[in-house]
């Protein structure tokens, strides 16, 4: 996440409109050393938040034109009296990511993975300056600042995309939180923190599938590998059509994945999913438990499923 120094530099550039500002000027105005300023500039450039050009011996800086930066510039310009860098840096930006809807402090702590003490401290700071309001234990952004959540999400999305595109071609992000994301690509990756998932991973569970050249990866610094329960969720997030649901049925049956485990993982992914993942998972489990007596045009007949399972030597 972007820290306070990065936001202070962005805040200064926001006041300079379209001017290109030398690093030496930034250092003087912000009271930083040239070395520290250069490091912050390099970090923001890597994130895609600013652009730099060379002019003689000077490096000039300017805000980039990506949407979240433009939105942030507009807010900082209109509400110059608000110390946004102090309020939203680091954990504040993560909290704003999840204030896309009304939530309680407990819900915010759960989804953001921040301690409750940090959540309450940040909420109190934001409420004190009128950025958020509270009603019946639920917090939400007040109208003038409602774009802060989309700014936080936009910055995270842009950072994820740039990170993936430095390593892979034709990246398409399919699901993400503030720190993890699932994406499709034409490239083969073998990098720390990037885990193969989706249909291409089924072969590791003795379910070899005919797949397209498109491959799928899950980026996370919190795991050491993709579990079978995670693979079910990832596959449905990639595509929840009848074919992919059948793949998931085969995997659940072969690995005897427990309902409790599946439900926990589905609840995690559903928070940012475009599909009703928990309901789909519930239907898949019920289908297996009842011998296919679940009416659905997205699930195979029980006889067809047994035949497919037999092809993979999976007992049903």
């Amino acid at each position: 996440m972007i820290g306070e120094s990065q936001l202070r530099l962005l805040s200064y550039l926001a006041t300079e409109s379209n001017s290109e500002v030398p690093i030496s000027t930034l250092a003087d105005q912000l009271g930083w050393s040239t070395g520290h300023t250069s490091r912050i500039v390099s970090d923001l450039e890597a994130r895609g938040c600013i652009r730099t050009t060379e002019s003689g011996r000077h490096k000039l800086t300017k805000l980039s034109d990506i949407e979240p930066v433009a939105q942030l510039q507009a807010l900082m310009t209109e509400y110059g009296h608000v110390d946004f860098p102090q309020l939203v840096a680091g954990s504040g930006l993560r909290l704003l990511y999840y204030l896309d809807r009304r939530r309680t402090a407990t819900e915010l702590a759960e989804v953001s993975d921040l301690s409750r003490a940090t959540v309450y401290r940040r909420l109190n700071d934001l409420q004190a300056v009128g950025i958020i309001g509270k009603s019946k234990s639920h917090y939400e952004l007040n109208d003038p600042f409602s774009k802060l959540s989309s700014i936080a999400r936009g910055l995270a999305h842009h950072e994820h995309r740039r990170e993936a595109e430095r390593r892979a071609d034709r990246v398409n992000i399919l699901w993400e939180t503030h720190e993890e994301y699932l994406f499709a690509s034409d490239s083969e990756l073998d990098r720390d923190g990037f885990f193969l998932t989706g249909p291409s991973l089924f072969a590791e569970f003795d379910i070899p599938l005919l797949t397209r050249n498109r491959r799928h990866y899950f980026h996370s610094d919190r795991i050491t590998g993709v579990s079978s329960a995670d693979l079910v969720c990832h596959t449905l997030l990639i595509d929840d059509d009848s074919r992919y649901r059948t793949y998931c049925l085969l995997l659940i049956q072969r690995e005897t994945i427990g309902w409790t485990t599946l439900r926990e993982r589905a609840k995690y992914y559903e928070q940012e999913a475009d599909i009703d993942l928990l309901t789909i998972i519930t239907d898949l489990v019920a289908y297996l438990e009842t011998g296919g007596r679940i009416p659905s045009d997205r699930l195979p007949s029980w006889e067809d499923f047994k035949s497919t399972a037999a092809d993979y030597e999976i007992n049903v």
Side-chain angles (χ1 to χ4, degrees), residues 219-233:
H219 174 68
S220 175
D221 294 324
R222 304 169 62 182
I223 63 174
T224 57
V226 174
S227 71
S228 56
D230 284 316
L231 178 54
V232 169
C233 294

Side-chain angles (χ1 to χ4, degrees), residues 227-247:
S227 71
S228 56
D230 284 316
L231 178 54
V232 169
C233 294
H234 294 172
T235 301
L236 293 169
L237 289 169
I238 292 165
D239 194 334
D240 67 331
D241 70 5
S242 58
R243 183 165 61 106
Y244 279 55
R245 292 189 188 203
T246 300
Y247 294 167

Side-chain angles (χ1 to χ4, degrees), residues 84-207:
F84 286 105
Q86 182 181 24
L87 286 168
V88 308
S91 59
L93 207 56
R94 184 187 299 190
L95 195 66
L96 290 169
Y97 187 103
Y98 293 103
L99 276 170
D100 57 322
R101 69 194 77 164
R102 296 175 70 249
R103 297 185 193 263
T104 65
T106 299
E107 290 170 341
L108 287 166
E110 289 176 354
V111 296
S112 67
D113 202 27
L114 294 170
S115 70
R116 294 188 67 173
T118 298
V119 168
Y120 277 114
R121 176 171 55 82
R122 286 294 192 173
L123 289 173
N124 288 338
D125 290 343
L126 293 169
Q127 192 173 9
V129 295
I131 289 179
I132 64 171
K134 181 182 179 183
S135 175
K136 296 181 179 179
S137 77
H138 285 79
Y139 296 86
E140 64 181 331
L141 289 164
N142 290 324
D143 284 341
F145 305 103
S146 59
K147 287 185 178 179
L148 278 171
S149 185
S150 64
I151 289 171
R153 286 174 170 264
L155 289 172
H157 176 77
H158 191 72
E159 186 173 340
H160 294 162
R161 174 170 287 281
R162 286 179 67 90
E163 181 178 45
E165 287 179 341
R166 286 196 294 269
R167 298 164 174 83
D169 298 323
R170 294 187 62 205
V171 168
N172 179 28
I173 294 179
L174 305 171
W175 176 94
E176 63 187 327
T177 64
H178 67 281
E179 61 181 354
E180 295 182 324
Y181 55 96
L182 170 69
F183 67 98
S185 168
D186 288 345
S187 304
E188 290 191 19
L189 284 179
D190 184 16
R191 298 288 187 92
D192 288 345
F194 290 85
F195 302 92
L196 181 68
T197 189
S200 297
L201 188 60
F202 274 67
E204 294 192 15
F205 294 90
D206 295 323
I207 308 176

